[in-house]
Amino acid sequence: MFELRPFERRNNHIASYDPFREMENLERAFFGDRGFFSGSALGEFRTDIQDKGDSYLLEADLPGFKKDDIHIDLDGDTMTISAERHSEHEEKDKSGNYMRCERSYGSYQRSFDISAVNADAMTAEYTDGVLKLTMPKKEMTVSSAKRLEIR
């Protein structure tokens, strides 16, 4: 019913063992290149940022989250988007009623430099598993050149 893949031993040296690489290989075996964490570190989510001229549009894939479980924190020039999904399994499910459980639970976060963004004018919306942030750019002030007189 399910394809099982044997664990590959590439090298017998314990020094070459990388548990993170093995987790990524396991994920690719199950999900191919479409896994939730493919192309990013564990605990992160995928984002796209577009330059719209006078603003940036950030789109973050956060499928399966409730709006209340997503937080956007601004601290100086750093914006952190975090989301936490809790396990909703009942005790009886832990006794083995699942043949396969692939949904992940845990916390995920990414931080971004927003030094070029007017943080007071940012807006956010969450629809169909995608968080969209419209981030207007700061007004760039052109400093006028001047020469100092030597006394």
Side-chain angles (χ1 to χ4, degrees), residues 4-107:
L4 297 176
R5 295 178 184 234
F7 179 78
E8 290 183 346
R9 287 195 186 255
R10 290 186 187 93
N11 196 338
N12 289 336
H13 296 91
I14 193 72
S16 67
Y17 177 70
D18 182 358
F20 298 106
R21 184 183 63 228
E22 296 302 326
M23 290 292 289
E24 289 172 5
N25 291 340
L26 179 64
E27 179 201 5
R28 279 191 207 97
F30 280 115
F31 302 110
D33 289 333
R34 298 176 192 240
F36 188 71
F37 297 119
S38 295
S40 65
L42 291 174
E44 293 186 350
F45 45 86
R46 292 178 179 232
T47 59
D48 295 330
I49 302 174
Q50 300 174 36
D51 188 340
K52 297 290 192 177
D54 61 344
S55 66
Y56 298 104
L57 174 65
L58 182 145
E59 295 178 309
D61 287 342
L62 295 166
F65 286 95
K66 296 176 184 169
K67 187 167 70 169
D68 295 337
D69 293 336
I70 301 170
H71 304 284
I72 303 166
D73 297 308
L74 306 175
D75 184 15
D77 288 340
T78 303
M79 174 181 68
T80 302
I81 302 171
S82 57
E84 187 169 359
R85 188 177 336 190
H86 302 281
S87 175
E88 297 174 3
H89 299 307
E90 296 177 14
E91 194 63 38
K92 66 177 183 174
D93 293 336
K94 292 181 181 177
S95 65
N97 289 343
Y98 281 105
M99 289 183 65
R100 185 176 192 165
C101 186
E102 295 179 348
R103 290 185 286 164
S104 59
Y105 299 94
S107 60

